[in-house]
Amino acid sequence: MPSAPVDAKGTVLYYEDSGAPANSAEYVTVVLIHGTCFHGATFRPLFPHATACNLRLVYVNMRGYPGSSPVSEADFGSTKDEREQTQRDRGFELAAFLCWLIDTEKIPPINGGAGGISLLSWSGGHALSFSMFGNAGLLPEKTRDVLNEYLRSFIMYEPSSAATGTTPPPSFFGVVADRTKSPTDQAIAFGIEVSSYFEPWDLPDTLPTLAPDAPPRCRIQDLPRAGPLERRFEPTVNKMSAEELRDMTHPATFAGTLHFSHWSPLIAAVNAAHVHRALYDPRFPIGPEGALATVWARVRVHLLYCDMTNGSIAWACATIRCGHAGAEEGVRRPMEVHVFNGCNHFLHWEEPERFTEILAKIA
């Protein structure tokens, strides 16, 4: 299995690569970070469309997922400082993977509108990328310099509330895990919830104040209807074959307590701080005099939001949009918001050709 070393301890990350487009020396490489339970294989439907879009697609599995080095509860720690270090380590591993990929695969550097790397994170995978950007000033100078020549954009594709360290109001709260069930049953319930279509919700300009008893956003399949549910509004996992679903999910994610520690208040504060440093104030003391400077200042940021996504995602996207609007202009990273109407959290699987074309336009 292809894997990349990311530290001196023998830690590796599994990846799959669509390969460089034929007869193209100046393609754009998009590195894809998966979400919770659904690992990198969920991006495989994009690969057949990469060459036509002059893209090279590389997905990487996070620690604890198939092919990558495991991570234990002991590794994660129990105090805020320990968990901050753990999250920082994961971000450093991602930076190391990008540098390894650049060197090993001879990725072309940024040259105008081509070359370089665009980093895309999906759902819970944002905890990894926010950590890398949020701790960019602590990376080795050589790593910062290499990525400065290659990082062209950061695509936030439907970040989760857990990864952003935010707590949705009750009417937006999504997955409620039943830990008395087996990991497989928890994964099934999780898959149905996150891949359902919900009543459309427009991103607000300011975060709304919602009463605790406000009615929840409903899944389309739960709304009253006269006839059968339209096929397109069925949860995405119901459209997958048993083999496809098995090949892209990792039910062991829900075994033990490790996964649920990622949703704890201790890690929420850490993730929220990373979001702030990644997007709203990305300046770090750099150099012997410690002058504040933005690391990777030319990186363009995009937020991709699907208006029929689940509550946790919708709320996280709203908090990012509003938090960015309230940050100091000239300090915050420039960000564009892209809204996709009539789409759920699995746009990349539901419409892989369209999604790849979207990436080609913004990467």
Side-chain angles (χ1 to χ4, degrees), residues 40-310:
T42 187
F43 295 118
R44 283 177 184 158
L46 305 179
F47 280 26
H49 309 289
T51 294
C53 294
N54 200 33
L55 296 178
R56 181 177 192 165
L57 303 179
V58 179
Y59 82 68
V60 57
N61 276 359
M62 294 188 289
R63 292 281 299 274
Y65 282 84
S68 294
S69 295
V71 60
S72 68
E73 186 73 26
D75 294 330
F76 203 67
S78 58
T79 68
K80 181 177 180 295
D81 287 346
E82 290 172 338
R83 295 191 175 191
E84 185 168 17
Q85 182 62 55
T86 297
Q87 292 295 77
R88 185 182 303 126
D89 290 345
R90 300 295 84 78
F92 284 10
E93 290 164 2
L94 175 56
F97 174 82
L98 297 179
C99 289
W100 178 90
L101 184 70
I102 289 165
D103 181 60
T104 304
E105 296 297 329
K106 309 305 178 189
I107 303 298
I110 295 172
N111 182 14
I117 287 177
S118 177
L119 179 65
L120 177 145
S121 288
W122 176 51
S123 199
H126 282 81
L128 205 64
S129 51
F130 283 139
S131 174
M132 188 187 81
F133 278 97
N135 291 294
L138 303 178
L139 286 165
E141 183 178 1
K142 181 180 179 180
T143 300
R144 294 200 308 267
D145 290 346
V146 168
L147 294 182
N148 191 54
E149 297 300 315
Y150 286 85
L151 268 181
R152 58 183 303 120
S153 59
F154 173 32
I155 301 173
M156 300 179 292
Y157 171 38
E158 296 244 297
S160 72
S161 292
T164 56
T166 56
T167 302
S171 57
F172 276 72
F173 202 81
V175 179
V176 179
D178 183 351
R179 297 175 64 182
T180 65
K181 293 184 176 180
S182 70
T184 298
D185 287 343
Q186 290 184 61
I188 291 171
F190 178 83
I192 292 173
E193 181 71 14
V194 298
S195 74
S196 288
Y197 285 79
F198 288 74
E199 295 173 288
W201 190 66
D202 295 330
L203 286 181
D205 294 324
T206 58
L207 282 180
T209 301
L210 300 173
D213 59 350
R217 287 175 70 240
C218 288
R219 303 183 302 186
I220 298 301
Q221 67 260 35
D222 296 333
L223 294 174
R225 59 182 182 274
L229 181 67
E230 288 185 47
R231 174 68 172 169
R232 82 175 209 87
F233 288 127
E234 290 184 12
T236 302
V237 294
N238 290 351
K239 304 169 189 175
M240 298 174 178
S241 68
E243 182 180 11
E244 286 174 325
L245 192 57
R246 182 182 65 250
D247 287 348
M248 71 177 70
T249 55
H250 189 52
T253 303
F254 296 100
T257 60
L258 180 62
H259 170 71
F260 299 98
S261 64
H262 283 269
W263 293 352
S264 75
L266 282 174
I267 204 63
V270 173
N271 287 345
H274 288 166
V275 171
H276 182 86
R277 295 199 300 267
L279 303 177
Y280 311 148
D281 188 354
R283 298 172 299 176
F284 295 88
I286 302 296
E289 298 182 0
L292 289 177
T294 298
V295 179
W296 312 322
R298 63 177 169 180
V299 168
R300 296 173 290 109
V301 177
H302 300 270
L303 175 64
L304 275 56
Y305 170 68
C306 299
D307 76 332
M308 298 184 77
T309 193
N310 68 83

